[in-house]
Amino acid sequence: MSKSVLKILATTALAGLIAAPAMAQTLGLGRPALPEEIAAWDVAVEPDGTGLPVGSGDVFTGEDLWVENCASCHGDFGEGAGAYPVIAGGEDTLTNRRPVKTVGSYWPYLSTVFDYVHRSMPFGNAQILSADDTYAIVAYILYSNAIVEDDFTLSNENFTDVVMPNAEGFYVDDRVETEFPIFVHDVCMSDCTAPVHITRRATDLQSTPEGAVTVFAPDRPSGVMDGAGAPEGGEGAAAPAEAPVEEAAAEPAMPALDPELVAAGEGLWRQCRSCHQIGEGARNGTGPLLTDVVGRHAGGVEGFRYSNPMTQAGEEGLIWTPETLDAFLADPRGYMRGTRMSFRGLRDEADRQAMIAYLQSQSQ
């Protein structure tokens, strides 16, 4: 080995010996974090309420905060906007091929909602919400999912009293104990099962009878058969008895609707379509379908889970006439205390008349 190489190695080793003590020392940069700084980042909330800040917020305050901070991404009523997720609805869909996983249908703990909103929302401007703001928004989310009523106030004192609908829907992952042992034994590679022997074939059993077969045709008149039966209208067919004809009672004619009013109502309908469907093929969504709503009993759509006040109103005989719809649309919560409909209402009478005209036009 040359002297020059030895000199390089010796210099490198000496530099390493000199640098080693320096790496073990502090660099003298920064300072210890203050207790206030640590508290600002220590915002985690656990399912048992550990970490909750002191505060409170009600549903109505939460609605205003929701519109200001959340609706642009998640919709006015939690129905989702664009690619952003749905927050409300989705009840009884977790076993569907395409489940709707929302706070109400899927999330097991309310602490997850509070922690996520307080830590990460609103998107792009996280942690601007105070503790009271977060309590209010979470209260509104609970109301939108029909978990609480509209007069509910959420606070650190009653937080753990709220039980989420899917709280019992999760279980501990026990696949290591239940499934893993199935796949760790020696795998059979040959002669794993007893051989199969064919004893008889369908042709040997004569399982298919010979001759004409009577074919059942449920959409044909009674007594008409194929094969040996008499053909429809042929000889031997009994003439149908003539049924007495009764004149149907004439239904009262619906007053003609103003096309311009209907068109104006269709424009206003965009405020409703995030929750309701109407017309041919309409189905229940966050709200019930509204086809044929004019003249229908309140709470009368089969299969939709109404609020208790709406169900009771229907049982007491409330019918959605143009007059009752006008009163309801003006102030839904004032007209029916406890309704889950979070829509604020149409304050302008002309708007209400246009909306009712559009609803009338969608009667089948």
Side-chain angles (χ1 to χ4, degrees), residues 24 48 51 60 77 84 101 109 137 148 155 163 167 176 190 207 215 218 221 227 242 273 316 319-320 363:
D48 63 357
F60 284 98
F77 311 112
Y84 293 96
K101 297 182 178 181
Y109 301 117
I137 289 177
V148 301
S155 70
V163 178
V176 173
S190 64
S207 58
V215 178
E242 294 186 0
R273 64 189 179 188
E316 294 175 353
I319 297 177
W320 292 125
S363 297

Side-chain angles (χ1 to χ4, degrees), residues 14-26:
L14 179 60
L17 292 174
I18 295 174
M23 293 178 64
Q25 297 175 359
T26 61

